[in-house]
Amino acid sequence: MKDTYTHKGKRKQLVETLKAKGIENKAVLEAINAIPRHLFMDSGFIEHAYVDKAFPIAADQTISQPYTVARQTELLEVSKGDKVLEIGTGSGYQTAVLLEMGITVFSIERQNELFKKTKRFLPKLGYRPKRLIFGDGYKGLPEEAPYDGIVVTAGAPYVPKPLMAQLKIGGKLVIPVGEENQIMTVFTRTSEKEFEKEEHGAFRFVPLLEDKN
Ligand code: SAH
């Protein structure tokens, strides 16, 4: 599990690429600069790890593109000490970005193989989410609610109601909505019953599937 000067240099370049693409949040950029993304991938090739692209991981899933992770994290508008629920743990890279920013993280994954792998892996790098759960993200995690932010890292055909219900007032749900392509959608809970909706462009995710596997 090596993190060499070459890796660090490539990460600096990746951070510059993300800045050029419009990412402004300093804490997000610092987290990406700090995290050895190559270690989250089966083939730790820097050509794959530090270009701004998604990449296959286990169980037909992908590690999200760095720009996508950065953009979703920025849209959450969370900071140190806040509490975030992530749907779709996958490789754990997005989880690590949030942890690096000092966020308390709860994360749910429906693929048992990936869940077990990532649960073992994250602590090896010193990343300790509050809870990693094998379960169905459509239901959220009501027993730990409410959250300052909820981030969905798979494409949702519709917006699951339980996720809206588990937001604090002032909290944000960042969710890519759509079947083949998704629109990055942000819901801000403005009162017990009211939400504001904003859209932030088209993305492409693996699907958010119902039930556990
Ligand atoms: N955050 C991840 C992205 C992984 S891709 C990363 O940084 O690598 C999306 C993940 O969502 C996949 O691992 C997939 O298995 C998971 N997923 C799909 N449907 C889900 C559901 N209903 N509940 C929880 N996780 C789900």
Side-chain angles (χ1 to χ4, degrees), residues 1-211:
M1 300 242 287
K2 271 196 194 151
D3 189 26
T4 64
Y5 281 109
T6 313
H7 293 120
K8 288 181 178 134
K10 291 276 177 197
R11 275 209 296 285
K12 277 216 157 60
Q13 287 171 20
L14 174 62
V15 166
E16 291 310 314
T17 304
L18 297 179
K19 277 192 199 163
K21 290 186 177 180
I23 301 299
E24 290 176 353
N25 184 307
K26 265 196 149 177
V28 172
L29 293 167
E30 276 167 19
I32 285 172
N33 193 41
I35 301 170
R37 185 172 188 262
H38 59 285
L39 300 179
F40 289 73
M41 301 169 27
D42 293 331
S43 76
F45 297 128
I46 38 182
E47 308 81 286
H48 297 311
Y50 297 114
V51 293
D52 188 21
K53 284 195 178 146
F55 198 76
I57 51 171
D60 284 334
Q61 301 303 323
T62 54
I63 178 169
S64 298
Q65 184 179 344
Y67 173 77
T68 305
V69 174
R71 188 69 183 128
Q72 287 195 279
T73 311
E74 184 167 78
L75 288 170
L76 276 173
E77 288 186 28
V78 287
S79 52
K80 199 174 170 155
D82 283 347
K83 191 171 142 186
V84 168
L85 174 65
E86 175 191 22
I87 310 298
T89 316
S91 69
Y93 182 69
Q94 168 78 74
T95 318
V97 168
L98 291 163
L99 289 169
E100 192 68 49
M101 292 168 68
I103 311 281
T104 301
V105 186
F106 301 83
S107 186
I108 308 177
E109 172 57 53
R110 74 172 277 283
Q111 277 280 356
N112 203 12
E113 181 194 338
L114 261 178
F115 163 75
K116 287 195 283 195
K117 188 175 174 195
T118 301
K119 195 179 167 86
R120 270 195 311 266
F121 168 72
L122 281 174
K124 289 189 191 160
L125 293 188
Y127 291 118
R128 300 185 196 283
K130 189 87 177 196
R131 278 178 74 187
L132 286 184
I133 292 118
F134 170 53
D136 178 9
Y138 275 90
K139 302 187 176 77
L141 187 63
E143 66 264 33
E144 303 282 358
Y147 304 96
D148 297 290
I150 301 179
V151 59
V152 179
T153 71
Y158 62 90
V159 182
K161 286 240 163 66
L163 300 185
M164 304 279 267
Q166 290 169 33
L167 278 180
K168 278 186 196 171
I169 292 176
K172 289 179 191 287
L173 168 64
V174 177
I175 180 168
V177 186
E179 307 267 352
E180 203 146 307
N181 284 291
Q182 294 85 28
I183 302 294
M184 190 60 73
T185 310
V186 179
F187 292 93
T188 308
R189 187 170 206 168
T190 53
S191 73
E192 196 55 46
K193 293 219 167 103
E194 291 162 305
F195 294 84
E196 255 170 37
K197 179 181 168 184
E198 290 166 33
E199 294 183 339
H200 292 273
F203 287 79
R204 197 157 201 169
F205 285 81
V206 295
L208 186 69
L209 300 171
E210 307 219 34
D211 301 323

